[in-house]
Amino acid sequence: MKSGFVTIIGRPNVGKSTLLNRIMGEKLSITSNKPQTTRNRIQLIYHEEDAQIIFLDTPGIQKPKNKLGNYMLGVSQDSLAEVDVITLMVDSSSRIGPTDKEILESLKKYKGKTDLILLINKIDQVEKGSLLPLIDQYAKYNLFKEIIPISASTGDNLEEYLQALKRILPEGPKYFPDDYITDQPEKFIVAEFIREKALYNLQEEVPHGVMVVCDSMKEREDKDLLDIEATIYVERDSHKGIIIGKKGQMLKTIGSQSRQDLERFFSIKVNLQIWVKVSKNWREKQNMVERFGYQ
Ligand SMILES: Nc1nc2c(ncn2[C@@H]2O[C@H](COP(=O)(O)OP(=O)(O)OP(=O)(O)O)[C@@H](O)[C@H]2O)c(=O)[nH]1
Ligand SMILES: [Mg+2]
């Protein structure tokens, strides 16, 4: 039995959560085309006959702009010390930028202690010819045991990555039972599914200031129906208007898209009620950031 812990870090939007959902075979960690989608450390446990890999999905690394950002950066940094393998993911369509260089620099201290793998993602978007020079540039850092170009979207080379992990990970116990796939409670997953739809439908600064709390979920006794109540918090009164939309249209859209996802996930009909509230500039306030669970 090979087993162990693997963190996936990288800049926002490179495709960390997309990859993990692909590996897990279902959406457990939300994704979007906007940066800073993942806010927590999310454990996802991948099971095979002869292996158990505990992946840590982490927030994208960038300079924090507020208290929430401080928390998110801390989560990603802290994950490095807890694992057997550090996976850095980068986007094949972008050059090595200043943040990448900082991250590479910060990984140097783990060399010789923790095995490092580099995943160059989104190869479906670039010409094959541009990959070799990029691989060369990263190889010069002399940090990585393996450099694997992949596509989290198409699944290209995903198997190579899993094989590499199984080679590298130590012999170890099953840390979790076979049916245990995430450390996140159901209410968190519900809230995240709704936040994903808010990210998808909203623009500019509005979605980044969205926080969703699942207030209750309860299955009816007399029929197969799950009642879910949730609250979307936004940072300003004007954002509340945007989320509700003309004649409530935006909230209706977010609600119905969320419901479809939730029904697929729980395999049961869902009755979803969403409220919208304002929590003024909550991302700037340490006590609010903590109260929303980011601690
Ligand atoms: N074309 C292409 N798009 C991808 C690929 N992987 C991810 N994406 C897209 O990239 C965007 C970001 O994906 P996420 O998985 O949310 O990225 P992330 O690294 O988890 O981002 P944060 O949580 O913000 O740090 C989404 O729109 C994905 O659909 C890929 O292999 N190819
Ligand atoms: Mg993510």
Side-chain angles (χ1 to χ4, degrees):
M1 187 81 192
K2 289 292 196 96
S3 67
F5 291 74
V6 177
T7 187
I8 306 207
I9 61 153
R11 277 164 52 187
N13 230 16
V14 293
K16 300 178 292 296
S17 304
T18 305
L19 172 74
L20 288 177
N21 289 333
R22 181 103 200 172
I23 290 175
M24 295 300 294
E26 70 178 311
K27 185 174 74 193
L28 292 163
S29 186
I30 63 165
T31 66
S32 86
N33 61 2
K34 303 193 174 68
Q36 302 266 276
T37 299
T38 306
R39 290 175 177 169
N40 306 70
R41 189 197 80 164
I42 298 172
Q43 265 190 5
L44 299 167
I45 298 103
Y46 171 76
H47 303 266
E48 267 189 33
E49 194 97 313
D50 54 354
Q52 185 173 79
I53 308 175
I54 300 108
F55 289 101
L56 309 182
D57 191 9
T58 64
I61 294 173
Q62 67 170 33
K63 277 213 174 60
K65 295 183 188 130
N66 46 46
K67 296 285 195 287
L68 175 65
N70 292 344
Y71 167 80
M72 287 164 60
L73 182 61
V75 168
S76 301
Q77 288 171 337
D78 290 349
S79 77
L80 297 171
E82 307 173 44
V83 294
D84 301 287
V85 178
I86 295 169
T87 303
L88 173 64
M89 181 181 273
V90 296
D91 185 333
S92 57
S93 59
S94 61
R95 294 180 309 121
I96 307 183
T99 312
D100 293 307
K101 286 184 183 153
E102 271 176 43
I103 296 175
L104 288 160
E105 204 55 45
S106 72
L107 290 178
K108 282 186 179 162
K109 62 170 179 285
Y110 295 95
K111 211 191 153 185
K113 288 185 208 144
T114 310
D115 288 308
L116 290 130
I117 295 181
L118 179 72
L119 295 180
I120 303 182
N121 191 30
K122 308 198 187 182
I123 56 169
D124 54 293
Q125 278 187 334
V126 297
E127 283 194 35
K128 288 275 177 286
S130 68
L131 278 175
L132 269 182
L134 195 61
I135 292 174
D136 266 353
Q137 279 181 304
Y138 281 106
K140 285 205 179 84
Y141 282 86
N142 222 343
L143 274 172
F144 302 104
K145 198 154 195 168
E146 313 250 357
I147 296 180
I148 310 170
I150 63 159
S151 168
S153 293
T154 67
D156 223 9
N157 272 352
L158 195 95
E159 198 46 44
E160 321 284 314
Y161 174 52
L162 290 172
Q163 291 302 332
L165 288 175
K166 284 196 267 177
R167 273 196 302 278
I168 293 172
L169 285 173
E171 301 273 333
K174 265 190 193 178
Y175 290 94
F176 297 101
D178 289 334
D179 58 353
Y180 189 86
I181 51 171
T182 180
D183 64 338
Q184 300 302 311
E186 282 184 342
K187 275 188 172 175
F188 174 83
I189 295 176
V190 168
E192 287 287 272
F193 277 19
I194 298 169
R195 193 164 63 84
E196 183 182 69
K197 302 311 172 209
L199 278 160
Y200 181 77
N201 288 290
L202 300 163
Q203 305 303 325
E204 312 274 328
E205 211 30 42
V206 187
H208 296 291
V210 163
M211 172 64 202
V212 182
V213 174
C214 173
D215 303 304
S216 74
M217 51 188 298
K218 206 168 174 206
E219 221 175 306
R220 297 259 177 107
E221 271 166 24
D222 53 341
K223 53 178 155 177
D224 288 339
L225 186 68
L226 181 62
D227 286 306
I228 296 180
E229 292 184 304
T231 307
I232 297 180
Y233 291 88
V234 291
E235 295 201 300
R236 296 189 203 143
D237 292 322
S238 60
H239 292 182
K240 181 173 172 178
I242 294 170
I243 285 230
I244 292 170
K246 278 201 188 90
K247 294 187 180 154
Q249 200 50 50
M250 177 58 88
L251 192 58
K252 236 182 239 161
T253 303
I254 292 172
S256 97
Q257 290 174 356
S258 305
R259 185 176 47 73
Q260 283 171 31
D261 263 22
L262 292 165
E263 289 183 341
R264 205 175 308 132
F265 187 76
F266 290 112
S267 305
I268 186 172
K269 278 244 167 279
V270 167
N271 171 38
L272 177 63
Q273 296 272 1
I274 304 179
W275 279 267
V276 182
K277 289 184 185 159
V278 178
S279 175
K280 284 238 158 69
N281 299 323
W282 67 269
R283 283 182 299 167
E284 314 282 348
K285 297 174 185 161
Q286 189 61 34
N287 65 333
M288 283 316 296
V289 166
E290 287 179 15
R291 196 180 310 166
F292 281 146
Y294 301 111
Q295 56 176 318

